[in-house]
Amino acid sequence: MSGYLDARPRVGYFYTGKSGNHMLAEKIKHITVNEYQSRPVVVQESESVYDAICTMFLEDVGTLFVVDKQKTLVGVLSRKDLLRASLGKQALESIPVSIIMTRMPNITVCKQDDLIIEVANKLIEKQIDGLPIVVEVEYGSRFEVVGRITKSNITALLVDLANDDVI
Ligand code: ADP
């Protein structure tokens, strides 16, 4: 009955007034990104679209993060970004991903201690599949990618909630 009942000295047990839904919402609002993250898959900005497509297949991910030589996050590549680039007649080996990626400062990011529900809201609002998890280096002037959180991670959370596997 945890959550439904509380106890007070001289009063004894009493009903908290919280519904099952209320308690589930409270639980969800405390889950942070680091509890459900995946490892990031990154490519260099100088790599070709062809190589990025190969990486996407080999690593079995839907979003790639693009970094420069200093490991700074500079871009994002989705499946459709790569598909769109493949529709033209150009040789994919000769197009660098930096030409077709979504670039900074237009990338939506999150931090490891952000709430998962905030990430879910951003995914819906921006209509995207995932976010890079970043750490700020050099006082916020650049970000390094330390993880990835996607709709799949949030689906895993939903399953854990249904199985009552969330602490
Ligand atoms: P797809 O394009 O395969 O459906 P998305 O919905 O994730 O995949 O991506 C839609 C567009 O948004 C793409 O152009 C992609 O580069 C861009 N995008 C993806 N993730 C982000 C992000 N975290 N921040 C900004 N733009 C993003």
Side-chain angles (χ1 to χ4, degrees), residues 62-63 65 76-81 84 100-103 106-109 123 126-132 151:
T63 309
F65 303 125
V76 173
L77 290 166
S78 73
R79 282 178 271 230
K80 273 190 232 128
D81 291 332
R84 193 182 306 113
I100 64 150
M101 67 190 187
T102 300
R103 59 184 58 247
N106 300 322
I107 301 177
T108 307
V109 300
L123 296 183
K126 308 272 179 185
Q127 299 187 349
I128 50 181
D129 291 346
L131 302 185
K151 288 176 178 173

Side-chain angles (χ1 to χ4, degrees), residues 93-106:
E93 296 87 342
S94 62
I95 313 172
V97 290
S98 55
I99 308 254
I100 64 150
M101 67 190 187
T102 300
R103 59 184 58 247
M104 278 301 222
N106 300 322

